[in-house]
Amino acid sequence: MKKTWKTAMLTLVNLLTASLFVTACGTSTGTGNADEPGVTTVTLWHGLTSIDLDNMNNVVKVFEEKNPTVKIKLVYTESSEGSDQKLLTAVAGGNPPDAALFDRFKVGTWAAQGSLTDLSDMAEKSGIRKEMYYPFAWDESSYQGKLYAIPLDTDARLLFYNKDHFKEVGLDPENPPKTIAELESAAEKLTIKEGKRFKRVGFIPWYSQGWLYTWGWVFGGQFQDAATGKITANDPKVVEALQWMTDFGKKYNVEDITGFTSAAGTEEMDPFISGQISMKVTGNFAVKGIKKFNPKLNYGVTQIPSPSGKDFTTWSGGGSIIIPKGAKNAEVAWKFLEFLGKEEGQELVNKDSNLSVIDAVNVKYGYKDDPIMKEFINVLPNSHNRPVIPEGQLLWNELASATEKSTHGNGTPKENLDRVTETVNKALEKYNK
Amino acid sequence: MEKLAGAAPAAAVPATRRKRSLRRIGITGWLFASPWILGLLCFYAVPMLSSIYFSFTTYSILQPGEFVGLSNYVELFNDPLFWKSIYNTIYFAVFFVPLSIFVGVSLAMMLNMKVKGMAMFRTIFFLPTLVPQVALSVLWMWLLHPNFGLVNGMLASIGIDGPPWLGGEAWSKPSLILMSLWGIGQAVVIYLAGLGDISEEYYEAAAIDGASWFQKTRAVTLPLLTPVIFYNLVMGTIGAFQQFTLPYTLTKGQGTPSNSMTFYVMYLYENGFRYFKMGYASAMAWILFVIVMALTALIFVTSKRWVHYQGK
């Protein structure tokens, strides 16, 4: 009888070992080994499609020609949250890819978790310096003075306005609003409201890309204290911006506006494209959609109106490329990052698609001669990046919630922003220990 | 080793040997089941037990975190969004579960009638459950568009000023309940099977007694359908507490407007995978487990009073 138990246990142990073996095999795939002697394969995870993927393939081709000992293996992982989860599991499991495309917004969080390779030394040796890029792009790629990502592309927010609507109500389409006061009066002229329903909306401050980050900076506020690193969402200027948004909402009845915005569609149903809203704050990425769904739309872009009518500003995000902690071929992967971070790679990777993080490349693209694109290029040197903190997502969500609460009359802007500041700073405390 | 005794007729084998052979068969069974048991241990038991441990730590997936005792739970009870998400989830469950049973049983009874072309109707009611939830939510976003949606368009044509549906705090959850009823086909199929199981004799007896349709429904159909209702009640409650896909896609994970669509599992997901607070999320998961466990137990206890099994 003992013998049978022994065999049973033995079988169990065998099975366990077998299953361990299977999982072990599973983890060793994906890093990719050199198929030829002397050639190192670098695995790159990305979520690119269509033109961006074509560009990346092109970058890889040019890079491989110059570096015959390196092969870049592009692996598509679903974009947005999905890709992060996959990367998260891979990093946590100690088996990350050699490099990955990554939203710069998340660099702070991942760096604080110790999951990104510090690129500072390699960058210095390769001559990759802050001065090459727009300041915000470098700042958003760094955490606590160390570089963790190479910025790839960027965007910016501006005021888009419908020139036909402007003509229709007697506004000069070549002289769009510059100050907040002008913006308000234009919005009033453009709005057509019947009862609770908008037949046409002039402007909604928090619609699309125009929300608290946008207005906080446009009003001259700061969301983070540069010296202490503490969050200052209750900066008087930010409070002022939110107060303005709240008052705007009150004027047009926020419930009616919410009915409009929550239901606003995308693509051909986008209210700006279909002419249901006359002005909105959005980014350069919207240009492509307008071209595709309503190429005849007569619109212009202008700097986001500010209280003074000057010192225009905006904010920018964008993609980057990182080397996860624990990557097997970090040294070789760096060669590719370096290539992407310098002018030649930048020009290839953003062609006919995105704004480059290097000004000279955008000039080369001819963006400075394009009536729409030049406005974006003009504002980029003054653009802001979101605070690089481990709790970037929390701050984002808290600001969104404060905006919603204030505009709906649940607490004053000051109260709500005080609470955001307190919540986020409290969450940040544990990283300063 | 001796030959396996299982081949010999049981009666011919002495009692002790029979016992031994049974044990052998038992072991063989365990061996055959072991891959499944291993899977259960590795992919259910271990993660579950680890999540109990993680709920007492600041585990962030990327870092092991430190042991903090009950502080995740304390923090949860002071987190307004935690309470809001519980409120939203209970609101949804309280309205959706009874409503889904009522609608489901009514539909099943209608679909049980002997009318020509019934197979087609049954198919029609089952079809929506085959549509992925993400696609379903996108479809409904269009239908419920306050200004241009089909629903408000139809309401407007009869002179009713439709509500903002998903855009308003007061209407967002009722809208979600309405949408969720779309996926009722699965339950209807089970009710239909239950209805088919009720013996015709009861109805014949009731007809001889002169019972009306209503009396037959009340005294025969419903009581004999209670085991199926019981099953759907338990599954429906558990499902309602795990509401995720529809509100997540509808609000792009934001729970708008004003967190009225932040459901418990959505908030759990956000904590775990967007804020990297996996310890906190684990604590939430265990609270959910306790709540659902308690509710299920409650349903089981009360079921003795209202669930009737045929032939008992």
Side-chain angles (χ1 to χ4, degrees):
Chain A
M1 196 141 54
K2 268 197 178 149
K3 224 176 184 177
T4 38
W5 264 112
K6 253 188 193 163
T7 21
M9 287 314 288
L10 211 72
T11 326
L12 263 176
V13 169
N14 282 339
L15 267 167
L16 265 171
T17 340
S19 65
L20 272 177
F21 187 70
V22 169
T23 27
C25 286
T27 53
S28 69
T29 54
T31 44
N33 297 316
D35 33 6
E36 297 160 48
V39 174
T40 315
T41 304
V42 169
T43 311
L44 169 67
W45 283 11
H46 69 92
L48 303 172
T49 51
S50 69
I51 185 161
D52 297 315
L53 182 60
D54 294 343
N55 283 346
M56 186 54 86
N57 278 321
N58 205 15
V59 172
V60 169
K61 209 180 96 199
V62 174
F63 174 81
E64 283 179 349
E65 271 166 20
K66 294 185 179 219
N67 298 274
T69 57
V70 184
K71 265 192 96 68
I72 306 289
K73 189 175 152 204
L74 296 180
V75 177
Y76 177 82
T77 54
E78 183 195 350
S79 62
S80 80
E81 279 116 354
S83 86
D84 277 4
Q85 263 183 37
K86 198 166 174 189
L87 194 61
L88 191 67
T89 349
V91 173
N95 182 44
D98 299 313
L101 294 194
F102 200 73
D103 190 336
R104 276 206 302 276
F105 177 56
K106 290 166 181 153
V107 166
T109 312
W110 283 61
Q113 295 283 342
S115 301
L116 302 179
T117 304
D118 179 2
L119 307 174
S120 310
D121 292 342
M122 290 190 272
E124 206 181 304
K125 265 183 228 146
S126 312
I128 286 198
R129 290 182 315 274
K130 180 169 180 166
E131 297 75 48
M132 291 165 59
Y133 307 105
Y134 296 119
F136 65 83
W138 180 272
D139 289 343
E140 206 173 35
S141 308
S142 314
Y143 176 67
Q144 295 186 336
K146 294 207 168 91
L147 185 74
Y148 287 97
I150 292 295
L152 282 190
D153 56 51
T154 195
D155 52 27
R157 283 117 192 103
L158 290 178
L159 182 74
F160 283 56
Y161 64 99
N162 188 317
K163 289 186 174 177
D164 288 340
H165 291 183
F166 267 51
K167 270 182 234 159
E168 193 191 306
V169 299
L171 289 163
D172 180 4
E174 300 316 316
N175 190 16
K178 286 198 170 49
T179 65
I180 294 288
E182 283 168 20
L183 176 69
E184 276 179 30
S185 83
E188 203 177 325
K189 282 190 188 139
L190 290 159
T191 303
I192 308 171
K193 201 176 173 190
E194 280 174 4
K196 284 164 68 187
R197 295 219 185 289
F198 288 102
K199 291 212 96 172
R200 186 171 75 198
V201 180
F203 183 66
I204 301 169
W206 57 85
Y207 178 60
S208 190
Q209 294 288 318
W211 70 298
L212 195 51
Y213 269 130
T214 316
W215 297 111
W217 277 311
V218 163
F219 272 68
Q222 290 300 336
F223 291 86
Q224 189 180 23
D225 186 322
T228 63
K230 282 219 155 78
I231 291 306
T232 55
N234 54 356
D235 177 320
K237 293 284 179 191
V238 179
V239 175
E240 204 181 300
L242 186 52
Q243 187 62 53
W244 172 71
M245 292 163 85
T246 307
D247 293 343
F248 198 101
K250 238 180 236 160
K251 184 171 173 187
Y252 293 96
N253 190 6
V254 72
E255 291 299 327
D256 302 344
I257 298 179
T258 311
F260 178 87
T261 52
S262 69
T266 51
E267 310 209 309
E268 64 266 56
M269 286 279 283
D270 179 294
F272 185 73
I273 292 178
S274 61
Q276 291 158 1
I277 187 165
S278 304
M279 300 185 283
K280 83 167 182 180
V281 173
T282 187
N284 50 296
F285 36 79
V287 174
K288 235 188 272 179
I290 297 173
K291 257 186 211 147
K292 186 171 171 192
F293 297 111
N294 188 3
K296 283 189 196 138
L297 188 73
N298 185 16
Y299 76 102
V301 296
T302 185
Q303 301 299 327
I304 300 168
S306 66
S308 62
K310 44 187 195 274
D311 302 327
F312 298 117
T313 190
T314 187
W315 61 278
S316 302
S320 68
I321 179 165
I322 53 119
I323 300 178
K325 243 313 159 41
K328 312 262 174 333
N329 302 310
E331 294 282 321
V332 188
W334 167 256
K335 280 192 191 173
F336 189 59
L337 266 70
E338 183 191 344
F339 182 72
L340 275 170
K342 289 184 172 172
E343 259 184 57
E344 189 184 1
Q346 274 290 308
E347 200 183 330
L348 291 169
V349 81
N350 290 311
K351 199 161 179 51
D352 295 325
S353 177
N354 300 306
L355 295 174
S356 167
V357 284
I358 297 180
D359 196 57
V361 172
N362 287 325
V363 174
K364 231 182 220 170
Y365 284 150
Y367 285 162
K368 284 214 166 147
D369 308 317
D370 182 298
I372 300 284
M373 296 312 285
K374 79 170 179 215
E375 293 288 336
F376 289 103
I377 307 306
N378 288 344
V379 78
L380 279 177
N382 304 318
S383 188
H384 289 84
N385 62 282
R386 288 156 288 183
V388 185
I389 52 168
E391 298 284 356
Q393 185 69 46
L394 179 69
L395 176 59
W396 176 283
N397 288 8
E398 285 290 317
L399 287 175
S401 151
T403 308
E404 202 177 8
K405 276 187 196 151
S406 304
T407 50
H408 282 83
N410 302 325
T412 67
K414 176 84 169 70
E415 283 163 17
N416 287 324
L417 289 172
D418 279 343
R419 206 170 308 133
V420 173
T421 311
E422 194 193 329
T423 309
V424 178
N425 281 331
K426 200 175 148 237
L428 287 175
E429 266 168 28
K430 64 172 178 262
Y431 298 94
N432 298 328
K433 272 176 199 163
Chain B
M1 260 178 92
E2 52 183 327
K3 262 188 165 180
L4 212 83
V13 183
T16 45
R17 274 190 66 190
R18 207 167 111 199
K19 225 175 171 182
R20 269 175 83 178
S21 75
L22 274 177
R23 187 158 301 173
R24 268 169 188 284
I25 292 167
I27 288 164
T28 320
W30 280 105
L31 278 179
F32 271 109
S34 60
W36 180 82
I37 294 166
L38 265 176
L40 187 81
L41 288 175
C42 291
F43 300 114
Y44 282 88
V46 171
M48 271 180 87
L49 293 175
S50 349
S51 96
I52 292 191
Y53 170 72
F54 290 144
S55 77
F56 298 114
T57 66
T58 55
Y59 177 56
S60 73
I61 309 179
L62 294 167
Q63 283 183 333
E66 48 190 285
F67 192 81
V68 289
L70 284 172
S71 83
N72 279 332
Y73 292 90
V74 175
E75 202 184 318
L76 266 177
F77 285 99
N78 292 315
D79 179 350
L81 205 50
F82 166 77
W83 291 109
K84 178 104 189 176
S85 70
I86 285 199
Y87 166 78
N88 288 338
T89 309
I90 291 178
Y91 180 113
F92 177 79
V94 162
F95 287 99
F96 174 70
V97 175
L99 196 64
S100 71
I101 289 175
F102 177 76
V103 176
V105 171
S106 313
L107 269 178
M109 280 166 69
M110 279 194 270
L111 293 175
N112 200 35
M113 290 187 295
K114 290 168 184 58
V115 188
K116 226 181 157 191
M118 192 43 84
M120 197 185 72
F121 286 111
R122 289 182 181 190
T123 315
I124 288 172
F125 280 100
F126 188 70
L127 268 181
T129 57
L130 299 175
V131 180
Q133 291 225 318
V134 176
L136 196 69
S137 62
V138 173
L139 176 79
W140 276 96
M141 268 161 99
W142 285 62
L143 289 175
L144 292 180
H145 191 296
N147 291 7
F148 318 104
L150 185 70
V151 175
N152 273 6
M154 273 159 49
L155 287 174
S157 68
I158 53 167
I160 296 173
D161 192 17
W165 299 111
L166 293 162
E169 214 178 323
W171 281 93
S172 57
K173 279 189 285 285
S175 304
L176 185 74
I177 291 167
L178 191 76
M179 292 166 148
S180 301
L181 284 177
W182 214 242
I184 210 169
Q186 209 94 42
V188 169
V189 170
I190 301 173
Y191 287 127
L192 269 172
L195 286 174
D197 220 25
I198 299 174
S199 169
E200 204 58 45
E201 289 163 30
Y202 296 117
Y203 291 107
E204 282 163 12
I208 290 167
D209 286 345
S212 67
W213 174 87
F214 180 74
Q215 284 165 322
K216 275 189 222 164
T217 306
R218 207 181 58 116
V220 179
T221 315
L222 287 182
L224 291 179
L225 204 59
T226 46
V228 182
I229 294 177
F230 172 61
Y231 171 80
N232 276 331
L233 178 65
V234 173
M235 299 312 280
T237 310
I238 294 172
F241 273 86
Q242 292 173 347
Q243 177 66 269
F244 180 82
T245 315
L246 267 183
Y248 190 85
T249 32
L250 285 172
T251 69
K252 298 172 189 77
Q254 297 294 316
T256 47
S258 302
N259 289 318
S260 64
M261 294 280 262
T262 303
F263 285 86
Y264 195 89
V265 183
M266 262 170 82
Y267 189 47
L268 190 158
Y269 173 85
E270 181 152 289
N271 274 309
F273 292 100
R274 297 182 92 174
Y275 298 159
F276 295 123
K277 286 162 78 177
M278 200 44 93
Y280 199 63
S282 297
M284 281 190 80
W286 279 96
I287 292 173
L288 180 69
F289 177 75
V290 169
I291 294 174
V292 172
M293 202 59 178
L295 275 174
T296 313
L298 190 77
I299 297 172
F300 264 91
V301 168
T302 56
S303 74
K304 289 195 185 89
R305 293 200 202 147
W306 58 272
V307 178
H308 307 275
Y309 293 97
Q310 279 191 78
K312 269 193 187 169

